[in-house]
Amino acid sequence: MQKRSYPMLLAATLLAVAASGPRAAQATTANIGWRPGGDLYTYIAEAFDMLNSGKSYRVTGDQYSAAAMQVVYLENHMPRRICATRNARLNFHLGYDKETRSKIKKLDPVWVAFIGRNNLRRLGKLPEYRKGFKTVRASDYLGLCK
């Protein structure tokens, strides 16, 4: 086996670190694009995975319903790890019960616990399911990405 000189080994190591640096930084930040919402419990489970991942998140697209609730929940639990771009919007409405196939007329305890009382006060009255959305700038709730 041929002996390598210390300066050559150091140069090769620095080159490898420099080449992998940007990819390593990208792996710690994930973009959250447009999401249509859906089942709240699915978004709750995903939120726990996101909290444990150690990643930071950038909301780059509009979030609807349960997806919007999820990003507000994440902001409550990891405020320095989530932000939003200028054009991203959060769109809220009251829920829909799949089992009874009826519109939920008022907030249930799961919603209140998930989104937080302070955020609900900030949002004000929410429209019923299929009656439009209460739309706000995501950066007002998550902070603006730098």
Side-chain angles (χ1 to χ4, degrees):
M1 182 173 189
Q2 185 180 8
K3 276 184 130 179
R4 294 198 174 145
S5 69
Y6 179 75
M8 288 293 285
L9 185 58
L10 180 61
T13 303
L14 290 175
L15 183 62
V17 170
S20 67
R23 279 190 290 255
Q26 289 173 357
T28 62
T29 301
N31 288 332
I32 301 173
W34 178 87
R35 295 187 302 165
D39 181 48
L40 177 61
Y41 294 100
T42 301
Y43 280 96
I44 290 172
E46 186 181 74
F48 291 131
D49 291 340
M50 294 167 85
L51 285 170
N52 292 327
S53 74
K55 290 183 179 179
S56 294
Y57 295 92
R58 292 173 50 91
V59 177
T60 60
D62 290 356
Q63 307 295 302
Y64 287 85
S65 190
M69 291 175 62
Q70 180 198 58
V71 296
V72 171
Y73 172 83
L74 291 171
E75 195 282 328
N76 287 336
H77 288 83
M78 57 180 202
R80 289 172 225 47
R81 287 179 37 207
I82 189 164
C83 63
T85 60
R86 288 192 189 282
N87 295 329
R89 301 280 183 259
L90 303 177
N91 302 279
F92 298 93
H93 63 78
L94 292 174
Y96 176 78
D97 189 330
K98 289 182 181 180
E99 291 178 13
T100 64
R101 296 184 180 261
S102 63
K103 296 176 184 177
I104 296 172
K105 301 284 185 186
K106 59 183 180 178
L107 296 173
D108 70 20
V110 173
W111 277 49
V112 174
F114 194 59
I115 200 168
R117 290 190 187 281
N118 289 340
N119 286 322
L120 288 172
R121 274 189 226 110
R122 283 177 70 188
L123 284 170
K125 187 173 177 173
L126 300 177
E128 288 183 20
Y129 181 74
R130 300 239 176 188
K131 301 277 185 180
F133 293 97
K134 173 80 176 231
T135 302
V136 297
R137 276 194 309 236
S139 59
D140 288 349
Y141 285 78
L142 309 176
L144 188 60
C145 294
K146 295 177 183 176

